Every structure is written in structure tokens, then in C-alpha cells.
Amino acid sequence: MAKTAKLKKKPASANSRASRRAESPSLNLDKSTTSVKPPVDDAAARPAVLGAQNAGISKRKKQKPMSRQQRLRHQKGLERADIVIDKTEKKIAKSAIKGKVFKERS
């Protein structure tokens, strides 16, 4: 059997798990800073914060009514959704019954 070379010691990567688990700098925190309280954050005082709640991408509303074909397609999709909901409810009920039977056995 041939001998294998010894592995070289590599310096620990800064992104490695071990380096991330190293002591937190907050452990050696100066005690004088712990007594200072943070400023009070009042969202009502800043209207910019309240305005950001409704910001974002919103779907455009359609201007014209759906065509006959679109309306039929939409109705068909809604009917399919109802069928899927019914099937799911049946499956959940059946699963609950099976779970009860299983618990009774054990």
C-alpha cells in the first residue's frame, strides 16, 4: 500500500461554520453601554413609516369586462376549484377517521 501525504493545515475560512460560532464580540461589551436605553421609536410620529405599509406592487384592475370565452373559462376554473376543495375535505375527514382507528389500536 502506498503512503499518502499528510494534509496541510489550512487557515480557517472566515465563512466557515466554526468561525461563525466563535465568541461574539458582544460578550466583551463595555458595561457602561448596557445601562443606556435606546430611543423610543414611535411609528405614529413618522408618517413615512405608516405610508410604507401599503407600498408595493399591486395588480392592475381590468378596465373592460371579460369576453364570453374568458368568462366561461373563469367559471370553469371556479367549478374545478370547488371540486378540488370537496375532494380535499373528504380526504381530511377520511384521514381523521384513520388516525382515530390507529390510536385506538395502540
Side-chain angles (χ1 to χ4, degrees), residues 33-63:
T33 57
T34 56
S35 62
V36 178
K37 293 182 181 174
V40 179
D41 189 27
D42 190 14
R46 295 184 290 158
V49 172
L50 297 173
Q53 291 173 350
N54 298 327
I57 300 169
S58 57
K59 194 170 183 178
R60 285 188 189 168
K61 305 294 181 214
K62 291 194 175 182
Q63 299 298 327

Side-chain angles (χ1 to χ4, degrees), residues 5-25:
K6 291 188 178 183
L7 296 174
K8 294 179 183 177
K9 286 277 187 179
K10 293 182 183 176
S13 170
N15 298 324
S16 70
R17 182 175 176 271
S19 65
R20 279 184 278 150
R21 289 179 49 88
E23 270 192 24
S24 173

Side-chain angles (χ1 to χ4, degrees), residues 2 6 19 21 23-24 26 36 39 43 46 48 52-53 61 63 65 72-74 79 83 85-87 91 102 104-105:
K6 291 188 178 183
S19 65
R21 289 179 49 88
E23 270 192 24
S24 173
S26 63
V36 178
R46 295 184 290 158
Q53 291 173 350
K61 305 294 181 214
Q63 299 298 327
L72 290 173
R73 194 177 294 136
H74 183 71
E79 289 169 5
I83 292 169
I85 289 171
D86 292 340
K87 281 184 183 178
K91 283 182 181 181
F102 180 77
E104 288 172 2
R105 268 194 244 138

